[in-house]
Amino acid sequence: MVGYDPKADNRDISNVEVAVAGSVSGLVTRVLISPLDVIKIRFQFLSFEVLTELVHRASVRDARDFSVHFLCGGLSACVATLAVHPVDVLRTRFAAQGEPRVYKTLRDAVVTMYRTEGPLVFYKGLNPTLIAIFPYAGFQFSIYSSLKRAYEWALPAEGKKNGNFKNLLCGSGAGVISKTLTYPLDLFKKRLQVGGFEQARASFGQVRSYKGLLDCAGQVLREEGAQGCFKGLSPSLLKAALSTGLVFFWYELFCNFFHHMRKADS
């Protein structure tokens, strides 16, 4: 169901229903895993469906191809990221500050950051974020579809009977694989986002500063080695498995719900 598929029997649901399914799947997942990123998921599922449908109507490639899902998934994530990146920067700053706390409230953080660092502070780390989110989301969507096809090939009978479990399992697998492949870029992004914020992190010990993405990557490799690019990977993989699996699970569930409602009405 994820992505435009002209042969699917539940393609009769509208773009509004697709957006609702994406929003509710994101909301349910983030309530269970993390309260943020709901807006990002709403943009990302809707734009992915629209893009894959455009590819199909243009007859450029099969809309179900791995490459199409990768490209459309990456582009949809970039659109969503541009909309919510300031919130991501604020979240990282709040999580990164030590004691005494620099920002007491959200409003205080916005005002202080704007006055001391200017409006571009809310887009710090945007370049590595976009560079990271494109392959991450692209791999999520394309690997998810590939894993579903592999599951249905290996267990054809089970694939029909246990569709919800298949969606959860394949979504979790897609989350783990895509997170592992793109984790270093995510680490560089977070380190760049706390740049100019060194005084609030002094209590954590050594504080590094970076001039940009390449400088950050170079310092990490020189001072921490290749393993430094994967610091904190284990908890990130757990979160990716849970959040991605649940997002695809709820999304498919609600899309199927809308499809069955339409069939009942007709």
Side-chain angles (χ1 to χ4, degrees), residues 19 29 65 70 73-74 84 106 128 134 187 193 220 235 247:
T29 300
D65 280 357
F70 180 85
V84 302
L106 178 62
F134 185 96
L187 181 138
Q193 284 180 340
V220 171
V247 162

Side-chain angles (χ1 to χ4, degrees), residues 183-233:
Y183 187 78
L185 287 168
D186 191 49
L187 181 138
F188 301 151
K189 175 198 76 172
K190 285 183 169 57
R191 294 207 178 180
L192 288 171
Q193 284 180 340
V194 297
F197 190 55
E198 288 80 8
Q199 77 282 359
R201 295 182 52 75
S203 60
F204 292 106
Q206 183 180 6
V207 177
R208 298 178 176 86
S209 60
Y210 308 106
K211 297 177 182 177
L213 175 58
L214 293 179
D215 181 51
C216 178
Q219 285 195 47
V220 171
L221 288 170
R222 283 194 306 272
E223 299 173 14
E224 304 170 57
Q227 66 271 21
C229 297
F230 293 92
K231 281 186 174 178
L233 176 62

Side-chain angles (χ1 to χ4, degrees), residues 47-68:
S47 53
F48 178 76
E49 296 288 339
V50 171
L51 286 171
T52 50
E53 184 173 356
L54 285 174
V55 170
H56 170 73
R57 295 192 184 284
S59 300
V60 180
R61 296 286 296 271
D62 188 334
R64 297 164 293 177
D65 280 357
F66 183 96
S67 59
V68 171

Side-chain angles (χ1 to χ4, degrees), residues 92-104 197 200-201 203-204:
T92 302
R93 287 288 183 99
F94 268 103
Q97 65 181 338
E99 294 293 342
R101 299 178 69 83
V102 176
Y103 310 126
K104 296 179 176 61
F197 190 55
R201 295 182 52 75
S203 60
F204 292 106

Side-chain angles (χ1 to χ4, degrees), residues 120-162:
L120 292 181
V121 66
F122 299 106
Y123 285 92
K124 273 195 170 182
L126 179 61
N127 288 340
T129 300
L130 293 178
I131 293 171
I133 198 65
F134 185 96
Y136 177 59
F139 280 130
Q140 271 190 335
F141 283 101
S142 53
I143 291 174
Y144 173 70
S145 298
S146 297
L147 289 176
K148 280 185 66 176
R149 287 194 290 269
Y151 185 100
E152 290 163 0
W153 175 81
L155 301 168
E158 292 295 318
K160 293 180 179 179
K161 289 191 296 184
N162 300 314

